[in-house]
Amino acid sequence: MILDMFKLTGKIAAVTGANTGLGQGMAVAMAEAGAKVALVGRSAMDETMRMIDAAGGESFPIKADLSDPSVTAGVIDAAVAHFGGLDILVNNAGIIRREDSINFTEKDWDDVMNTNIKSVFFLCQAAAKVFIKQGRGGKIINIASLLSFQGGIRVPSYTSSKHAVLGLTRLLACEWAKYNINVNGIAPGYMVTNNTEALRNDTERYNAILDRIPAGRWGTPRDMAGAAVFLASPASDYMHGFTIAMDGGWLAR
Ligand code: NAP
């Protein structure tokens, strides 16, 4: 039956930045679809664990500060050691720094690049090694951005990192499709999370953005659920290297 293709029963997922925001939304969605979920991040995962418990799912927290790319192999090892394998990796953790490019510091460049692209690459690499060894394929979902497609303003390292996420997603898809590993992305639009708090506190910017969204509202973590489960499930087995926009129509405009 077609809906069975969207089930994640028996699958094991790792979601980075799962304590809040879009990562929390996707982790809960995957648990609802039947996956066991490793919750990776630097903050306590209690709230997400409670939400997954309430949905009848199973989760396991893995403490990791992904600003240090050298921790990435240990993160994947910890998920495999706890659940006995890995089928799905969601690279969601990310940060943003806002400053005019003319004043942008090397620290704000490196911090964003380390978390948003360098750790993402090495998590992909560590997960793919497991997928290849297991011999049953795998799913990687990289969280991109509208700023994978557009320039933006005052976020030079963020825009660079998210363009890199889009390119890396394509490249890894080309290299690993032969192992039945699907590497795809989701580009969220303007979503109500900590990441956009500064923007939402600026009433003028908030309303200007709202006016440009065809759907007439900002997105929520729940808006990521369907695309995340689709890309994690057998329903997307022939999809490689594509980044879906979940943006209320922003890029269509
Ligand atoms: P968020 O609420 O700020 O969540 C970001 C997540 O990343 C948090 O769980 C955060 O943990 C984690 N994280 C940040 N630095 C980390 C580190 N060094 N080590 C481990 N975890 C770290 O924002 P969000 O909107 O849900 O962002 C999720 C993803 O969506 C990001 O990649 C972001 O760029 C992308 N995105 C968001 C939007 C949007 O409008 N919100 C739009 C496009 C793309 P802490 O809570 O501990 O900081």
Side-chain angles (χ1 to χ4, degrees), residues 17 19 22 42-43 65-66 92 158 162 189 191 193 195-196:
N19 57 302
L22 306 185
R42 59 187 175 181
S43 298
D65 182 345
L66 297 170
N92 165 79
Y158 186 81
K162 293 298 186 178
M191 317 297 272
T193 68
N195 173 290
T196 52

Side-chain angles (χ1 to χ4, degrees), residues 124-143:
C124 290
Q125 186 189 63
K129 284 179 180 172
V130 173
F131 295 160
I132 292 166
K133 196 168 153 204
Q134 291 175 156
R136 57 175 195 250
K139 302 278 183 177
I140 295 176
I141 304 167
N142 292 326
I143 302 308

Side-chain angles (χ1 to χ4, degrees), residues 53-74:
D53 278 353
E58 191 179 334
S59 65
F60 175 66
I62 297 174
K63 194 94 172 170
D65 182 345
L66 297 170
S67 63
D68 175 2
S70 73
V71 307
T72 49

Side-chain angles (χ1 to χ4, degrees), residues 10 29 52 60 64 67 70 81 88 90 120 181 216 223 242 250:
I52 289 178
F60 175 66
S67 63
S70 73
I88 300 156
V90 183
V120 167
I181 297 172
D223 287 317
F242 202 75
W250 180 277

